[in-house]
Amino acid sequence: MTKMSHAEALVTAILDSMAADADVVLLGRPLGLGPQRMLMSRLTDRFEDRVYDPPVCEAGNAALGVGAAMAGIRPFVDLSTGSFSFLAFSQIINEAAVSNYMTAGKIPVPVTFHCLEGVRGGGAPQHSQNIHAFVWNTAGLEILAPSCPADMYGLTRAALASNNPTFIMNHAKLMAVEGDVPDDRAAIPIGKADIKRRGKDVTIVALSLMVGLALQAAEELAKEGIDVEVVDPRTLAPLDEETILASVARTGRLVVVDETNMQGSIASGIAGMVAERGFRSLKAAVQRVARPDTPVPFSAPMEAFLLPTHETIMAAVKRTLV
Amino acid sequence: MSAHLSQDARWRLFETMLLMRRFEESVAKMNVEKHFTGHYHLYIGQEATGAPAISLLGPKDSLSTTHRNHGHVIARGADPGGALAEIMGRATGLSGGRGGTIHLTDASLGFLSTSGVVGGSISLGVGGAFARKHRKDGSIHLALFGDSALEEGVAFESLNIASLWKLPIVFLCENNSADSWDRSRGGYTTLTHAANDLRSIPGALGIPSRRVDGCDVEDVHEAMAEAVEACRAGKGPMFIEAMTRRWAGSAPLWPELSTGVTDLRMATGEAAIEGEHSAWYAQNDPVLKLARELLGEGAGARERIFAIDAQVTARMQAAERFAIDSPMPAPETALQHVFA
């Protein structure tokens, strides 16, 4: 194991992918505006001619990656702040995701999109969007949401090796968070959930930044004698429904946590899936933890008021035990 | 006639252009006979742009096209039967009937996925050119699009990237707004742009651009040859605006074969030119125009023109039979190919 931050895991994965495949190119700088951005030199030092700095044009940059992928190379397209990726939705959703389908498999699109999404703190409405739920409604796109450096590394390697368009939803608040990354430097299969904590009383399904909060809630609840299992889907599409259903079959209770607002959230989608496919396992109503349906305000106390916390997750767990 | 194109090259272009024309006549016929439904777009009237431009590409070059793509795909050498079957949603279509007329493409010939979103050929095409440059093998990309593509914001972004990174791409704008009807006449969308000279848009970004007569194979070929050579030499991108005429059948919102099945005897003087479309037959139809020029090639030209037409017509009759006889896809195969 090697301890590294999310940002370092991302850079290491891109570096290893570029070394493994000369067709991997980087369009943009995926490390944001924080101090982690200095890690970019590891990429530019070694692969100066394969790291490009596009103009400020999300649609043009996304189309560049999609067209290049149709022509057979593997671009990693950074869309910077997730909120800006709306400008590139036509390229992501209406070009990349449909090409393999509408050519009967003759023109796959091995492009990887990446953004720093979510409520980053003080971002105000236009820099705080969670976009994974918008994108989740797209058929033909693999959507990855890593919650720890090990998954960041393995899923990025998988994305850059996939023949499908992939979208890495990286949470802005995770970039500095550290964790252990296995030294085998292997890709993590797309479509496989991971049980982050074993437990027998209640299942929490959480993704991305919410996994850490769910684990914190589980530790607190353990002190009260409540044994929680935390399932991290890791990839939203394809979704590992079987691992979620098997966990609910063991616990009989489900809480789903998503940072985005409730309407059309992952929490809602997974709750619906379990209601249909796992109804006989359920001993209590499924609880959803997500933001109220508002934009995200700038002012810190208002922003904090809207966000899921380990306390709101604990309360939801207890509601399943009433 | 200038000496830029050899006699042989002109005859080959005539055969290609006539196949493009007869193909579209078949498409219109298949639609009228209800072999397929839905909106579609015909390339009639622009053959003298697409044929010479595409004839200058090599096997490693890539290209991107638009909703008005049939002529481009045929000019590049796609099988007319497979193309027609695709337009008719048949299992034997080039993409198994999944793309239809709007997304007609042939990956084996270097086409990217065909975007039906206006501006897509430019923006995806710049990606294609980026891949060509990455390969470092001297190959280039040709992006074919209409004048309205330059109304889209992404077109400007993509032209900027192409210019900044000196990508090997020829932007070929087929301006077909002349003779079009605007929306107020119930016609199909035409150019609505504050720039009164489209060349000023790439021009503002430092992309060399020139305008040619899109109804003249010589003019298009000469400009395109120069642009291709510049791109291969690393001096791309290049922009060409080809001025074509809007064929009367593409003026209304729904296409109609308003000028009928092309009668080459109008070029040889054996059939009278009259009626509301006489200006089209006499001056603007690129196929008739080239046929008239070829008649000047000397003895036997007339017979050669009709012999080529007989071959092309027979080929399209076979393509129609193939498409009509082809099965529809099994409905449940709609679940396939979501992922590679």
Side-chain angles (χ1 to χ4, degrees):
Chain A
M1 293 285 188
T2 305
K3 201 174 202 55
M4 57 177 86
S5 67
H6 263 258
E8 197 176 356
L10 174 60
V11 165
T12 308
I14 297 171
L15 196 67
D16 289 353
S17 296
M18 291 178 96
D21 186 343
D23 281 340
V24 174
V25 296
L26 185 53
L27 302 174
R29 294 175 179 248
L31 298 177
L33 305 175
Q36 293 82 22
R37 71 184 191 279
M38 305 313 289
L39 292 167
M40 272 302 299
S41 62
R42 292 198 197 169
L43 294 165
T44 49
D45 286 353
R46 182 146 173 218
F47 296 111
E48 190 188 6
D49 61 339
R50 284 157 64 191
V51 178
Y52 290 79
D53 287 313
V56 182
C57 57
E58 290 76 6
N61 191 23
L64 179 73
V66 175
M70 286 172 177
I73 70 171
R74 294 180 175 273
F76 181 107
V77 176
D78 182 56
L79 295 165
S80 71
T81 298
S83 306
F84 303 160
S85 63
F86 292 116
L87 291 162
F89 263 31
S90 183
Q91 322 301 330
I92 298 164
I93 293 164
N94 213 16
E95 304 287 2
V98 301
S99 176
N100 188 75
Y101 186 83
M102 73 183 187
T103 61
K106 288 177 184 166
I107 308 183
V109 185
V111 65
T112 295
F113 301 107
H114 170 270
C115 70
L116 292 176
E117 69 147 10
V119 183
R120 70 187 196 184
Q126 291 186 334
H127 290 70
S128 301
Q129 302 270 10
N130 294 93
I131 63 156
H132 57 260
F134 289 94
V135 176
W136 203 35
N137 197 230
T138 304
L141 202 58
E142 292 171 338
I143 306 169
L144 321 179
S147 66
C148 60
D151 291 354
M152 182 82 250
Y153 180 86
L155 291 172
T156 301
R157 290 301 306 271
L160 284 167
S162 173
N163 286 328
N164 293 307
T166 55
F167 201 150
I168 301 173
M169 301 289 172
N170 197 357
H171 199 292
K173 277 184 190 161
L174 283 171
M175 290 299 270
V177 174
E178 294 193 327
D180 286 329
V181 175
D183 291 326
D184 66 1
R185 303 271 184 98
I188 291 172
I190 290 170
K192 289 292 287 181
D194 186 38
I195 298 177
K196 292 287 197 257
R197 186 186 196 280
R198 291 275 175 183
K200 62 180 185 350
D201 295 333
V202 180
T203 298
I204 301 178
V205 175
L207 60 117
S208 186
L209 183 70
M210 298 296 104
V211 173
L213 296 181
L215 290 169
Q216 191 184 349
E219 292 308 313
E220 296 289 329
L221 289 163
K223 294 173 193 164
E224 301 177 32
I226 301 168
D227 190 15
V228 170
E229 179 148 301
V230 177
V231 178
D232 176 0
R234 297 199 292 198
T235 63
L236 299 179
L239 182 67
D240 183 356
E241 297 186 0
E242 302 313 317
T243 296
I244 294 169
L245 289 165
S247 177
V248 174
R250 289 191 295 273
T251 63
R253 294 177 167 86
L254 176 64
V255 173
V256 199
V257 191
D258 186 1
E259 188 187 70
T260 195
N261 55 307
M262 187 67 84
Q263 190 167 284
S265 62
I266 307 297
S268 299
I270 290 176
M273 184 276 289
V274 174
E276 182 180 327
R277 295 192 63 202
F279 186 72
R280 286 173 210 290
S281 304
L282 290 171
K283 297 171 190 161
V286 176
Q287 299 296 309
R288 298 174 298 162
V289 180
R291 273 193 285 117
D293 289 310
T294 75
V296 176
F298 170 74
S299 184
M302 294 166 80
E303 183 192 274
F305 173 77
L306 298 173
L307 291 177
T309 63
H310 73 280
E311 285 105 345
T312 59
I313 296 169
M314 287 169 67
V317 167
K318 289 176 179 174
R319 287 198 297 274
T320 70
L321 291 162
V322 172
Chain B
M1 196 182 293
S2 80
H4 177 74
L5 275 170
S6 69
Q7 256 193 36
D8 273 358
R10 270 198 293 275
W11 280 106
R12 279 197 303 275
L13 284 176
F14 176 70
E15 182 173 349
T16 302
M17 288 165 59
L18 191 58
L19 181 64
M20 293 155 89
R21 173 64 57 88
R22 296 288 184 224
F23 182 87
E24 296 295 53
E25 290 170 355
S26 288
V27 171
K29 179 179 157 198
M30 293 298 107
N31 185 261
V32 168
E33 293 177 3
K34 302 201 185 314
H35 290 294
F36 75 100
T37 55
H39 200 218
Y40 64 106
H41 306 80
L42 297 178
Y43 192 72
I44 292 177
Q46 297 173 213
E47 294 91 345
T49 297
I54 290 168
S55 75
L56 281 153
L57 297 181
K60 286 183 179 169
D61 296 329
S62 57
L63 57 174
S64 50
T65 172
T66 68
H67 53 282
R68 202 180 298 283
N69 56 54
H70 303 169
H72 300 150
V73 175
I74 293 300
R76 182 70 165 156
D79 168 46
L84 195 56
E86 180 64 27
I87 291 165
M88 290 160 56
R90 298 305 204 267
T92 55
L94 293 176
S95 300
R98 292 165 168 271
T101 166
I102 300 279
H103 305 294
L104 193 68
T105 188
D106 191 333
S108 70
L109 299 174
F111 281 94
L112 304 184
S113 215
T114 298
S115 175
V117 184
V118 175
S121 175
I122 296 177
S123 57
L124 297 174
V126 169
F130 179 84
R132 299 271 64 77
K133 189 171 185 182
H134 180 80
R135 291 271 179 258
K136 295 187 174 74
D137 60 2
S139 57
I140 65 161
H141 186 90
L142 170 63
L144 298 134
F145 52 92
D147 37 300
S148 286
L150 292 170
E151 293 170 26
E152 293 279 359
V154 73
F156 191 82
E157 298 182 13
S158 300
L159 289 168
N160 188 30
I161 292 171
S163 183
L164 283 167
W165 298 353
K166 303 200 181 328
L167 297 181
I169 180 168
V170 181
F171 296 106
L172 180 51
C173 175
E174 300 183 66
N175 188 329
N176 63 359
S177 273
D179 300 336
S180 62
W181 303 351
D182 62 21
R183 287 274 180 88
S184 63
R185 283 184 66 193
Y188 203 74
T189 318
T190 61
L191 186 64
T192 309
H193 212 300
N196 59 15
D197 183 340
L198 293 181
R199 291 170 297 178
S200 66
I201 298 168
L205 300 167
I207 300 173
S209 55
R210 57 183 285 192
R211 180 178 282 167
V212 298
D213 178 357
C215 298
D216 187 284
V217 292
E218 284 281 344
D219 210 17
V220 173
H221 194 277
E222 191 272 330
M224 182 69 191
E226 179 190 272
V228 167
E229 190 185 337
C231 285
R232 290 206 200 286
K235 294 175 187 160
M238 305 292 278
F239 189 101
I240 298 170
E241 183 185 20
M243 306 306 287
T244 71
R245 314 295 300 197
R246 182 72 60 102
W247 169 59
S250 289
L253 198 53
W254 288 84
E256 52 195 50
L257 208 51
S258 55
T259 55
V261 173
T262 305
D263 185 350
L264 292 172
R265 294 176 310 154
M266 286 187 185
T268 60
E270 295 161 81
I273 292 175
E274 55 199 3
E276 65 169 315
H277 299 297
S278 45
W280 163 263
Y281 301 126
Q283 293 146 33
N284 294 338
D285 182 331
V287 174
L288 292 178
K289 180 172 185 283
L290 183 56
R292 285 188 192 103
E293 290 169 8
L294 288 169
L295 283 171
E297 299 276 345
R302 179 194 169 278
E303 288 67 29
R304 192 168 174 187
I305 286 169
F306 287 112
I308 289 171
D309 191 24
Q311 271 178 15
V312 165
T313 301
R315 206 172 160 199
M316 279 317 306
Q317 283 168 350
E320 287 179 15
R321 273 196 306 278
F322 170 78
I324 290 169
D325 291 345
S326 289
M328 296 304 272
E332 65 276 16
T333 59
L335 299 176
Q336 297 172 357
H337 297 300
V338 176
F339 289 109

